[in-house]
C-alpha cells in the first residue's frame, strides 16, 4: 500500500515519504503548515487513493478526548428507567460511539482524520496518548476493552495555534507542508483547472506571487485562495492582458478573493497611489 | 547503524528521543526509504524532527553527517547506506560515460572526493557542531545554499534537498513557547460560575432525584468561567522592535484563556497617552486617564518592556524623546500603580544587567521589586504574585 498522490492532489516527494512511513509503521502522522495548503484535504485523498473508509473528527475548543471514544448518556437512561422502558436493562443502549471507536471497529483498515487538534484544550493531545499508541481504550460502563481490528491510518492536522506536548510529538511522524513553489503551484492549478489558458495562468501566478512578496502584508493569500481567485477570473472571463502589470501600480482585479483584510487592501491602494504619483 | 547521526542531532540540540530513533530504524527496515538518499532524508526528518523551526538545524546536521560518513580513503560509507543510493547520487554527479569507465570502488572513491570537496566551502567539517554556547550554528548564516560542486567540464549542480536549506526562514529561537506561556498564565485563573444555567449538573441531579423519592429532577448550573481581568501594556519603543512580535503572538495565543484581556501600547515609557494599535498611528491614542477610569482596580496590570532608556525619560517633565510631556513619566507610573495595585513588569533584558542599567533600576524601585525576566520561570513567578494579590510580600533580590 503506497500513496503516490491522486489526480486531484499534488503531493510532493517528502509528503509522500512521510505518509508512507506513517502507513507502514501504523503511527499517526502530524501535518502542520500555513493555512490553505491542503492539510485537511490530504486525509480524504489518502483515503480515496488507498480505497479506505474515511472518518473525520473535527476538534473544537470545547472538544474533550472522551468525545472521540464514546459518550455515556446517563440522562436518557435515567429517563427511560422512569418510563419503565426495557431498553434500560442494557447499558450498551446508552453508549454512543465516537469517531475513534468507529475507526477502530471498521472491518477494513480506515483513515481517521483528527482535524485541527490545536483548537482543543492544551492537555487534549496528552489524553489521547494511549489510545493512539496502543489503539485501544477501556469502556468503564461496560467493562470492556475496545481494540482496533485494523490499526487505522491516523492523520492529525494542526494550525500551530498551540504547541503540542512532547510526549505526543514523540509518537507521531511529522510533516510540515511548505508553501508550494511556483512549479508545484502550476501543477496544482492545472490539476484543478485543466482547461486554463497558459497565458492567464502565467499572469495570475505572477500577480499572486508578487502579492505574497509584498512586505508587511498581514495575511498572505494561500493556495486555496489562489484557486478561488482563478475560478473567479475564469467565471468573469477576464482577459489576461488586463492582469498584466506591476501589482504596485494597480490593485489586481477581483482582489477580494486574495486579500481578506481591510488593512491589506488599504495598503495596496496606498502603494498603487504612491507609484502612480511617482510615475506622474 | 546511524547511532552517530543520532548523537550529532542531539548535540545540535534537536530533542530526539530513543523511541523516535527506533521508529526511524524500524521504518528503514520496513523499506520506506528504499529508493534514494532523498527519501532517506525525508524519512529521517519526518520521524526525528517534530518542529519545523528545527528543520534548518536538521538540514545542517544531515549535510554534515552525510559527508562525514563517507570514508576518505576507501570511499565507502562507514554506515550501512545502501549501494543503490550511492549509485543514484553518482548518476547525478557524473556523466554516464564516466560511470561506465569506472568500477564500483573507483566510482565510490570519486564520489567521496566530490563530497569532500564541498567541505572546503563550509569552513570546518565535523567540528562544526559546537559543544557549548547558545548558538551551535553561529557561523551557519553565511552558508550559501545549494553549494555547487566545482566539477570540471560542465560540472553539474549538486544542491541536494538538505543543502537547499528551504526551512531557514522558519528557524526561530523562541525562548517562550506558547505552551509554556499558557501554562504559566493558567495560574491566574479564577473560576466563577455565572450567567445562564446551561450545563447539566450530575451530582445535584442525583441528589435531588433521590430526595424526591426517585422522580427524576434535572438540575442545571452555569458554566465555569474564568473571571480574571488582565490589562497588558506593551512597550513599542525602538529598542523593543525585535521583541514586539513575539510577545504579541504569545499573548494572543493565550487570549482564549482570559475572557477579559485588554492590550495597550506605550512608547518607551508610560505618559499621559497610550495606543490601541501597535502601528504607532499617532492619531489614535487614548488618554491614560481614560484607561484608568475604564478599567477598575480589580484588573491586573502586566507591563512588558525592556525598561531601557535615559533616566530623564522617567524622572523629568518633558523627558520624553517623542513629545513634550507635561508631567514626568514617574508620576504616571505611580498613578497607574495606585489604580492597579496588582501589577508586574516583565522584562526581556536578562536580570544580570538590571542593576547595571540606571533606568531599569529606577523602574525596578518604582515597581517595588515586581519586575520579572521574560522567561518561563519569571512569568511563572510573576503570575503567582499577581494571583496572591497585593498583600504578598516581595522577596528581596
Amino acid at each position: 500500500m503506497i500513496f503516490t498522490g491522486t489526480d486531484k492532489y499534488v503531493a510532493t516527494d517528502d509528503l509522500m515519504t512521510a505518509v508512507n512511513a506513517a502507513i507502514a509503521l501504523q503511527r499517526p502522522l502530524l501535518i502542520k503548515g500555513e493555512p490553505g495548503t491542503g492539510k485537511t484535504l490530504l486525509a480524504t485523498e489518502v483515503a480515496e487513493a488507498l480505497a479506505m473508509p474515511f472518518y473525520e473528527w473535527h476538534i473544537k475548543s470545547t472538544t474533550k478526548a472522551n468525545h472521540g471514544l464514546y459518550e455515556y448518556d446517563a440522562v436518557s437512561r435515567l429517563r427511560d428507567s422512569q418510563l419503565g422502558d426495557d431498553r434500560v436493562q442494557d447499558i450498551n443502549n446508552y453508549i454512543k460511539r465516537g469517531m475513534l471507536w468507529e475507526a477502530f471497529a471498521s472491518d477494513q483498515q480506515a483513515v481517521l482524520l483528527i482535524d485541527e487538534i490545536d483548537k482543543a484544550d492544551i492537555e487534549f493531545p496528552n489524553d489521547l496518548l494511549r489510545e493512539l499508541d496502543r489503539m485501544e481504550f477501556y469502556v468503564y460502563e461496560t467493562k470492556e476493552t475496545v481494540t482496533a481490528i485494523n490499526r487505522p491510518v491516523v492523520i492529525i492536522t494542526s494550525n500551530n495555534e498551540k504547541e503540542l506536548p512532547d510526549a505526543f510529538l514523540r509518537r507521531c511522524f511529522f510533516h510540515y507542508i511548505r508553501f508550494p513553489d511556483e512549479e508545484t503551484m502550476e501543477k496544482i492549478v492545472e490539476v484543478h483547472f485543466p482547461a486554463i489558458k497558459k497565458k492567464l495562468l502565467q499572469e495570475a501566478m505572477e500577480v499572486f506571487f508578487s502579492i505574497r512578496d509584498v512586505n508587511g502584508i498581514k495575511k498572505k493569500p494561500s493556495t486555496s485562495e489562489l484557486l478561488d481567485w482563478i475560478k473567479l477570473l475564469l467565471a468573469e472571463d477576464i482577459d489576461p492582458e488586463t492582469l498584466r502589470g506591476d501589482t504596485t501600480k494597480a490593485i489586481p482585479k477581483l482582489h477580494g478573493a486574495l486579500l481578506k483584510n481591510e488593512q491589506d487592501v488599504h495598503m495596496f491602494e496606498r502603494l498603487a497611489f504612491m507609484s502612480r504619483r511617482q510615475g506622474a | 547503524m546511524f547511532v552517530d547521526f543520532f548523537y550529532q542531532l542531539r548535540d545540535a540540540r534537536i530533542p530526539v528521543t530513543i523511541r523516535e530513533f527506533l521508529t526511524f530504524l524500524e521504518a528503514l527496515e520496513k523499506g520506506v526509504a528504499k529508493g534514494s538518499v532523498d527519501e532517506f532524508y525525508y524519512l529521517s526528518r519526518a520521524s526525528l524532527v517534530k518542529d519545523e523551526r528545527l528543520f534548518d538545524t536538521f538540514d545542517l546536521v544531515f549535510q554534515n553527517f552525510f559527508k562525514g560518513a563517507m570514508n576518505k580513503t576507501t570511499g565507502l560509507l562507514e554506515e550501512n547506506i545502501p549501494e543503490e543510493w550511492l549509485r543514484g547520487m553518482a548518476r547525478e554527479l557524473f556523466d554516464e560515460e564516466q560511470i561506465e569507465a569506472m568500477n564500483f570502488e573507483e566510482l565510490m572513491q570519486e564520489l567521496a572526493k566530490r563530497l569532500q570537496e564541498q567541505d572546503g566551502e563550509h569552513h570546518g567539517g565535523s567540528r562544526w557542531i559546537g559543544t557549548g554556547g547558545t548558538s551551535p550554528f553561529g557561523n551557519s548564516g553565511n552558508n550559501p545554499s545549494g553549494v555547487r560542486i566545482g566539477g570540471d567540464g560542465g560540472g553539474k549542480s549538486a544542491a541536494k534537498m538538505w543543502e537547499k536549506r528551504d526551512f531557514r526562514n522558519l528557524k526561530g529561537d523562541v525562548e517562550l513557547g506558547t505552551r509554556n506561556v499558557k501554562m504559566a498564565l493558567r495560574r491566574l485563573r479564577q473560576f466563577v460560575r455565572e450567567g445562564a444555567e446551561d450545563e447539566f449538573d450530575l451530582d445535584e441531579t442525583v441528589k435531588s432525584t433521590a430526595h424526591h423519592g426517585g422522580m427524576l429532577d434535572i438540575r442545571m448550573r452555569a458554566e465555569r468561567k474564568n473571571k480574571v481581568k488582565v490589562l497588558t501594556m506593551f512597550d513599542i519603543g525602538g529598542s523593543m522592535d525585535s521583541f514586539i512580535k513575539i510577545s504579541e503572538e504569545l499573548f494572543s495565543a493565550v487570549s482564549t484563556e482570559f475572557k477579559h484581556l485588554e492590550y495597550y501600547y506605550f512608547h518607551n515609557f508610560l505618559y499621559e497617552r497610550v495606543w490601541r494599535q501597535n502601528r504607532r498611528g499617532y492619531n489614535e491614542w487614548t488618554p491614560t486617564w481614560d484607561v484608568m477610569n475604564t478599567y477598575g482596580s480589580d484588573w491586573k496590570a502586566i507591563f512588558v518592556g525592556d525598561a531601557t532608556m535615559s533616566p530623564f525619560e522617567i524622572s523629568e517633565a518633558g523627558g520624553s524623546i517623542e513629545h513634550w510631556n507635561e508631567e514626568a513619566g514617574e508620576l504616571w507610573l505611580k498613578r497607574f500603580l495606585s489604580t492597579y495595585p496588582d501589577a508586574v513588569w516583565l522584562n526581556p533584558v536578562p536580570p544580570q544587567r538590571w542593576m547595571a542599567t540606571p533606568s531599569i533600576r529606577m523602574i525596578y524601585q518604582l515597581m517595588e521589586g515586581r519586575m520579572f525576566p521574560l522567561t518561563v520561570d519569571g512569568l511563572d513567578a510573576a503570575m503567582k504574585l499577581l494571583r496572591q494579590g497585593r498583600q504578598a510580600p516581595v522577596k528581596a533580590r
Side-chain angles (χ1 to χ4, degrees):
Chain A
M1 246 180 336
I2 285 174
F3 175 69
T4 50
T6 64
D7 50 359
K8 275 182 294 182
Y9 191 85
V10 179
T12 51
D13 288 348
D14 47 347
L15 178 59
M16 278 192 276
T17 306
V19 171
N20 288 327
I23 295 172
L25 267 73
Q26 306 185 325
R27 296 273 164 80
L29 173 64
L30 173 68
I31 302 280
K32 280 207 266 183
E34 269 188 54
T37 40
K39 296 188 288 293
T40 308
L41 201 60
L42 172 70
T44 52
E45 293 301 322
V46 169
E48 203 186 301
L50 304 178
M52 291 178 178
F54 178 60
Y55 297 94
E56 200 172 359
W57 182 19
H58 278 287
I59 308 298
K60 293 189 284 183
S61 64
T62 51
T63 306
K64 296 273 180 303
N66 269 351
H67 297 168
L69 310 178
Y70 67 92
E71 281 174 283
Y72 171 50
D73 191 353
V75 177
S76 57
R77 190 174 190 212
L78 203 53
R79 196 194 55 222
D80 283 355
S81 81
Q82 302 271 315
L83 301 173
D85 196 321
D86 269 351
R87 272 163 45 94
V88 80
Q89 301 302 330
D90 188 1
I91 197 163
N92 283 316
N93 288 329
Y94 303 96
I95 290 186
K96 290 184 189 156
R97 291 178 178 198
M99 275 302 161
L100 216 59
W101 191 337
E102 296 285 357
F104 284 2
S106 167
D107 291 333
Q108 212 190 333
Q109 194 182 23
V111 175
L112 171 67
L113 167 67
I114 303 180
D115 205 11
E116 310 199 17
I117 196 164
D118 54 330
K119 293 278 178 295
D121 187 81
I122 204 145
E123 289 304 326
F124 177 85
N126 279 336
D127 297 342
L128 283 177
L129 288 183
R130 199 183 111 102
E131 284 72 13
L132 290 179
D133 216 21
R134 310 258 298 266
M135 299 279 182
E136 62 174 38
F137 60 90
Y138 185 71
V139 185
Y140 291 93
E141 283 76 8
T142 56
K143 299 192 180 60
E144 62 169 326
T145 306
V146 176
T147 314
I149 303 170
N150 296 300
R151 287 174 70 102
V153 178
V154 182
I155 295 182
I156 301 165
T157 71
S158 164
N159 270 327
N160 235 352
E161 279 186 17
K162 289 172 195 135
E163 270 177 51
L164 301 169
D166 288 343
F168 178 77
L169 291 176
R170 276 205 289 279
R171 288 164 168 82
C172 302
F173 282 101
F174 173 65
H175 182 74
Y176 181 84
I177 299 190
R178 242 177 328 139
F179 194 81
D181 52 20
E182 281 183 53
E183 198 183 317
T184 317
M185 186 60 96
E186 264 174 50
K187 272 191 224 158
I188 294 173
V189 174
E190 270 163 26
V191 160
H192 285 263
F193 304 103
I196 190 168
K197 273 175 254 148
K198 198 91 196 148
K199 194 148 181 215
L200 179 66
L201 175 63
Q202 223 171 13
E203 298 291 344
M205 297 281 281
E206 219 159 86
V207 172
F208 174 72
F209 277 98
S210 67
I211 288 184
R212 276 185 64 92
D213 278 346
V214 169
N215 244 341
I217 188 162
K218 268 203 141 162
K219 191 199 162 300
K220 288 186 176 181
S222 69
T223 313
S224 55
E225 280 156 336
L226 171 68
L227 294 177
D228 285 347
W229 185 53
I230 290 181
K231 204 187 278 173
L232 275 180
L233 291 179
L234 287 176
E236 299 267 319
D237 204 16
I238 298 278
D239 181 18
E241 288 295 325
T242 56
L243 283 178
R244 173 164 303 186
D246 197 355
T247 40
T248 54
K249 293 228 173 66
I251 191 156
K253 279 223 149 75
L254 302 167
H255 58 80
L258 293 174
L259 301 170
K260 299 286 174 67
N261 186 311
E262 73 281 3
Q263 276 131 315
D264 286 346
V265 176
H266 188 69
M267 195 174 85
F268 269 90
E269 278 165 355
R270 219 172 39 212
L271 278 177
F273 175 71
M274 301 236 298
S275 71
R276 269 202 303 273
R277 203 170 53 174
Q278 268 167 12
Chain B
M1 197 178 178
F2 301 119
V3 176
D4 200 32
F5 182 44
F6 175 69
Y7 281 106
Q8 285 187 19
L9 287 173
R10 287 197 63 97
D11 281 347
R13 302 204 182 169
I14 296 176
V16 192
T17 59
I18 295 172
R19 192 197 158 108
E20 284 164 318
F21 186 61
L22 292 176
T23 310
F24 163 61
L25 294 183
E26 202 187 326
L28 275 183
E29 217 168 77
K30 291 229 168 138
V32 175
K34 262 197 307 250
S36 66
V37 190
D38 280 351
E39 275 180 30
F40 171 66
Y41 162 72
Y42 295 143
L43 174 69
S44 50
R45 199 180 67 194
S47 49
L48 301 174
V49 192
K50 304 297 163 67
D51 187 340
E52 70 277 10
R53 289 188 298 250
L54 293 173
F55 277 4
D56 188 49
T57 314
F58 176 79
D59 284 357
L60 291 172
V61 176
F62 190 92
Q63 191 176 4
N64 200 41
F65 162 76
F66 205 79
K67 270 178 227 150
M70 189 71 100
N71 191 310
K72 273 186 194 172
T73 46
T74 64
L76 284 173
L77 286 172
E78 283 161 352
E79 309 280 348
N80 302 329
I81 290 177
E83 197 187 306
E84 189 43 43
W85 296 359
L86 298 174
R87 285 192 181 279
M89 277 180 83
R91 273 196 291 276
E92 280 175 25
L93 293 181
F94 308 109
D95 296 330
E96 282 296 323
E97 287 168 28
Q98 281 175 303
I99 296 176
E100 298 260 310
M102 289 183 271
N103 65 25
F104 181 70
E105 259 164 53
E106 279 170 353
L107 184 67
M108 287 303 111
Q109 268 178 26
E110 201 59 32
L111 186 61
K113 241 201 267 170
R114 284 289 174 95
L115 288 170
Q116 296 297 341
E117 273 171 25
Q118 287 186 345
D119 246 7
E121 293 187 37
H122 284 294
H123 311 293
S126 59
R127 288 180 169 264
W128 219 22
I129 301 166
T131 46
T134 46
S135 169
F137 293 100
N139 59 352
S140 63
N142 306 324
N143 184 24
S145 70
V147 178
R148 277 180 161 268
I149 295 186
D152 40 323
K156 289 172 192 165
S157 158
K160 290 175 278 300
M161 290 314 294
W162 54 91
E163 289 189 339
K164 287 186 193 154
R165 297 191 55 201
D166 285 333
F167 296 97
R168 204 186 317 214
N169 296 337
L170 296 175
K171 191 175 174 182
D173 295 316
V174 188
E175 285 179 354
L176 285 163
T178 42
R179 187 177 163 78
N180 295 334
V181 175
K182 195 158 181 185
M183 291 318 257
L185 287 173
R186 275 198 162 188
R187 278 182 180 279
L188 265 186
R189 289 191 297 191
Q190 290 171 348
F191 281 116
V192 174
R193 290 192 185 280
E194 60 180 17
E197 298 192 335
D198 52 2
E199 196 181 75
F200 178 61
D201 187 347
L202 184 63
D203 289 345
E204 273 302 310
T205 305
V206 170
K207 209 168 139 193
S208 175
T209 304
H211 189 71
H212 287 94
M215 274 311 286
L216 181 58
D217 182 22
I218 288 173
R219 288 299 169 99
M220 305 295 281
R221 65 181 169 192
E223 208 182 328
R224 263 169 23 126
K225 282 181 191 133
N226 191 1
K227 215 195 160 194
V228 77
K229 299 165 180 172
V230 180
L231 185 60
T232 327
M233 312 290 289
F234 282 112
D235 179 3
I236 46 166
S239 53
M240 285 285 291
D241 274 355
S242 57
F243 177 70
I244 294 160
K245 198 169 163 281
I246 301 169
S247 31
E248 239 192 325
E249 273 169 14
L250 296 182
F251 279 88
S252 66
V254 300
S255 59
T256 47
E257 281 293 292
F258 302 111
K259 213 164 174 199
H260 308 281
L261 177 69
E262 297 291 338
Y263 301 81
Y264 282 96
Y265 300 91
F266 60 92
H267 302 168
N268 282 340
F269 201 71
L270 183 71
Y271 300 111
E272 69 278 3
R273 55 190 183 186
V274 289
W275 283 259
R276 203 60 207 243
Q277 279 176 348
N278 68 347
R279 253 333 149 59
R280 297 176 62 129
Y282 280 91
N283 314 321
E284 295 157 47
W285 47 270
T286 313
T288 309
W289 274 123
D290 283 6
V291 176
M292 288 192 271
N293 290 335
T294 310
Y295 307 105
S297 52
D298 55 334
W299 285 70
K300 296 175 191 296
I302 301 176
F303 286 89
V304 183
D306 59 2
T308 307
M309 63 199 85
S310 144
F312 296 114
E313 292 180 54
I314 303 172
S315 60
E316 305 297 327
S320 166
I321 50 166
E322 293 190 337
H323 69 296
W324 178 261
N325 53 317
E326 292 292 334
E327 289 170 301
E330 195 176 30
L331 193 66
W332 280 106
L333 186 61
K334 278 181 184 160
R335 274 187 197 139
F336 206 82
L337 291 179
S338 65
T339 313
Y340 304 106
D342 292 331
V344 289
W345 189 294
L346 298 174
N347 196 334
V349 177
Q352 297 86 326
R353 299 220 312 262
W354 288 1
M355 288 307 130
T357 315
S359 63
I360 300 187
R361 211 162 55 219
M362 282 171 80
I363 295 175
Y364 186 84
Q365 277 155 10
L366 283 169
M367 294 299 297
E368 296 170 31
R370 290 159 181 262
M371 185 183 278
F372 296 90
L374 198 81
T375 58
V376 180
D377 291 345
L379 197 62
D380 214 44
M383 295 308 118
K384 211 164 152 185
L385 195 78
L386 278 183
R387 181 162 174 76
Q388 284 165 347
R390 185 62 178 161
Q391 277 70 39
V394 180
K395 248 192 289 173
R397 254 169 303 179

